[in-house]
Amino acid sequence: MSDLPVKHASEDAPFPLTDVDKWILSLTDEEYQYHDWEDMKKVIGENNLSVLKRKPSDLRRYMKWTAETKAEYGSMPNYLIRHRLPQTWGSPPFAPASNIPFHDQSDYRVLINDWPYGLTPNLTHIVVWSRTTIETDPETGDMTPESRSAVTGFVKRFFVDSLGLDGEDKVLWFKNWVALQSVRALEHIHVIVRDVEKDILNEWTKELDCHKLPN
């Protein structure tokens, strides 16, 4: 049984639903088609991010959880700042150590996405949160060439290089256009990795000393 009735989903949505979201809410999980690696490569390569979708039951749960979280904490950023982001960051406006995105390790936090897109089981959805602004084009909402270059360099250093010779074939990344973001107030990028072992995922997502407040 759905957590949120389909016929009321759009009007009760705690964030703007895309046309794809609305379509997904009309499906059952059995009708849903998962994003596989080749599909993700195509979507990201064409920058066609609006087609990314969650499994119907996951989307309904995400909508329900978002509504409940906003009711309890006032906003999604408030929840994330309290429970998911480094306590050393404090509250916005943040004061990053570097104005270059992902240049200083104290300025970013790597986490497994709590609410991933509907991917095949061999894919893992990671979110990298940043307290440094990732500049976007005000007209398109997409990244500027400079910010895209900075993020590309980080993804290669942090993810690709740690996976060895075939790392390039195991890592994809994207940043949602502003219009597609469900958490707009906090900077983040999405990273999709393929066939990566749990110990490597744990190493990537461990909390660093620079993220902790002194005792």
Side-chain angles (χ1 to χ4, degrees), residues 171-187:
V171 181
L172 298 169
W173 73 271
F174 64 93
K175 183 179 188 297
N176 269 329
W177 315 325
V178 173
L180 297 177
Q181 295 172 5
S182 57
V183 184
R184 298 185 184 182
L186 299 172
E187 294 281 15

Side-chain angles (χ1 to χ4, degrees), residues 40 51 79 93 107 175 196 209-210:
M40 290 302 299
V51 304
Y79 166 81
D107 287 336
K175 183 179 188 297
V196 173
D209 288 340
C210 61

Side-chain angles (χ1 to χ4, degrees), residues 100-103 143 145-161 173 189:
I100 302 172
F102 308 110
H103 181 72
M143 301 174 68
E146 294 78 14
S147 60
R148 186 172 293 277
S149 176
V151 174
T152 298
F154 162 71
V155 170
K156 183 178 186 306
R157 291 191 308 272
F158 191 95
F159 296 102
V160 174
D161 291 350
W173 73 271
I189 63 169

